[in-house]
Amino acid sequence: MRYHRILHAVAGTPWAIHPEKGKAIIDFLVSQAENPSPSHAIEDDTVQHRAELTKEPVQVERRQAIAVLPISSVILPRAHDVKDSSLGPSGGQSAERLEKQFSALVSDTDISAIVLDIDSPGGAVGGVPELFEIISAASEQKHVVAVANHFCASAAYWIACAASEIVMTPSAMIGSVGVYTYHEDISQALEHEGVKPTYISSSAEKIEGSSQFALSDGARSHMQATVDTYAAHFVRDVARGRGVSELEVRQTFGNGRMHQADYAKAHGMVDRIATLDQVLFDLKSSLEEMQNENNMRRRRLALA
């Protein structure tokens, strides 16, 4: 029953995630719901161990005045509370904790530049628009570089577009602009088992979308409208972050597809192609040059 409940929660969530990763999560939950035997289930101590790992904040690496914040798993609201391994070995990464860690770096006067080291398939929509706004505002104060370091899909790309600059490693993939949700109709399976659920509700809409019933036209329309609203917000933020029109995002940014570096650079999805080490070297050199210029300016003022 645990996996049935999780599967129902997944089905009711708007996702900005690469479809293959989303499918993998759903397939895992379905297999566990249907085959809860020890041969199919992950051992409890392994699940608990992974859950404990996800409670710890992602470690920020500091290189003098540069901070590197990894975004390296499925992005979820309150992911540190997830006590399940269905998201993969690394579990989920909390949008709220990312926000707190990033805001702390912005407030740190010893940090002059922030690098988002991204290797993520995206995740749930919840918390992502808010994180976009915080990073976008911070980019006016400090130089923020988003590095697509192997895989930067959907919600992860949404976040990256808030940065001052997007850099993509030569072998990386980027994109998957779009939103979807999921409904599983288990009514026939319940009928086969001789189970007939009955809800007593204040309205038909109150229980629409339940996996125990076939999806009604009204429920489908409502789910579609929800997806379309989030997708429009996604496209709007990408257009704003990249300095292009929403039409251009829809027509040339893949419309849900992932792209390699050459395409992404040619169509304005990223600013340049470089490795993470090259980005850090360039930032360090730039900061040292600025520091030298400031020192020379101070000396000239002292001699004046």
Side-chain angles (χ1 to χ4, degrees):
M1 289 301 296
R2 176 181 62 169
Y3 288 101
H4 279 299
R5 289 194 296 270
I6 298 172
L7 187 59
H8 181 69
V10 167
T13 299
W15 290 88
I17 191 170
H18 188 266
E20 287 302 313
K21 179 60 178 178
K23 182 177 182 299
I25 293 172
I26 291 168
D27 287 349
F28 174 89
L29 292 172
V30 169
S31 69
Q32 293 301 302
E34 293 177 348
N35 304 286
S37 63
S39 62
H40 290 85
I42 293 178
E43 296 295 332
D44 287 343
D45 59 345
T46 302
V47 171
Q48 182 62 32
H49 174 64
R50 291 178 178 178
E52 291 299 324
L53 288 178
T54 61
K55 290 181 181 180
E56 296 299 324
V58 173
Q59 294 301 311
V60 176
E61 181 183 357
R62 292 171 181 260
R63 301 194 183 186
Q64 297 178 337
I66 304 169
V68 181
L69 176 59
I71 301 176
S72 55
S73 57
V74 178
I75 303 163
L76 291 170
R78 299 179 178 84
H80 49 283
D81 292 332
V82 175
K83 293 181 172 61
D84 200 275
S85 59
S86 57
L87 301 176
S90 58
Q93 194 162 2
S94 167
E96 290 84 1
R97 279 191 172 164
L98 280 172
E99 178 183 318
K100 290 179 180 178
Q101 287 179 297
F102 182 83
S103 296
L105 294 175
V106 175
S107 301
D108 191 335
T109 55
D110 293 330
I111 298 297
S112 300
I114 302 170
V115 175
L116 305 176
D117 180 10
I118 303 175
D119 185 13
S120 168
V125 170
V128 173
E130 293 83 354
L131 186 55
F132 175 92
E133 293 297 337
I134 287 170
I135 296 173
S136 181
S139 297
E140 302 294 327
Q141 305 173 45
K142 295 185 178 182
H143 192 65
V144 181
V145 183
V147 180
N149 195 7
H150 302 316
F151 207 75
C152 181
S154 215
Y157 182 61
W158 191 340
I159 292 168
C161 286
S164 315
E165 178 185 19
I166 302 179
V167 182
M168 185 175 181
T169 60
S171 61
M173 297 286 287
I174 201 166
S176 193
V177 177
V179 177
Y180 70 90
T181 191
Y182 165 81
H183 177 266
E184 182 176 68
D185 180 1
I186 64 170
S187 59
Q188 290 187 6
L190 291 175
E191 183 178 353
H192 178 74
E193 295 175 5
V195 177
K196 185 176 181 180
T198 300
Y199 282 89
I200 310 300
S201 66
S202 56
S203 66
E205 288 76 16
K206 182 66 177 177
I207 59 170
E208 69 178 5
S210 170
S211 62
Q212 295 175 342
F213 304 105
L215 195 63
S216 68
D217 291 341
R220 178 183 291 275
S221 296
H222 180 72
M223 292 171 69
Q224 185 67 58
T226 300
V227 166
D228 290 346
T229 298
Y230 280 119
H233 196 166
F234 190 169
V235 169
R236 184 193 70 192
D237 284 348
V238 171
R240 173 180 149 200
R242 299 306 301 156
V244 299
S245 69
E246 293 181 20
L247 180 62
E248 185 170 350
V249 172
R250 294 182 185 279
Q251 290 184 340
T252 66
F253 279 35
N255 203 23
R257 291 176 177 169
M258 294 291 287
H259 289 292
Q260 294 173 303
D262 289 342
Y263 179 97
K265 174 64 172 63
H267 291 83
M269 296 179 72
V270 301
D271 296 291
R272 60 190 177 103
I273 302 170
T275 65
L276 177 62
D277 286 340
Q278 287 172 327
V279 170
L280 294 172
F281 178 83
D282 292 344
L283 278 174
K284 182 182 178 182
S285 299
S286 177
L287 292 174
E288 288 176 349
E289 184 178 341
M290 289 175 59
Q291 184 61 46
N292 291 335
E293 290 177 357
N294 290 335
N295 291 338
M296 292 179 62
R297 189 179 300 110
R298 292 192 190 97
R299 284 195 290 267
R300 286 196 297 267
L301 289 173
L303 294 172

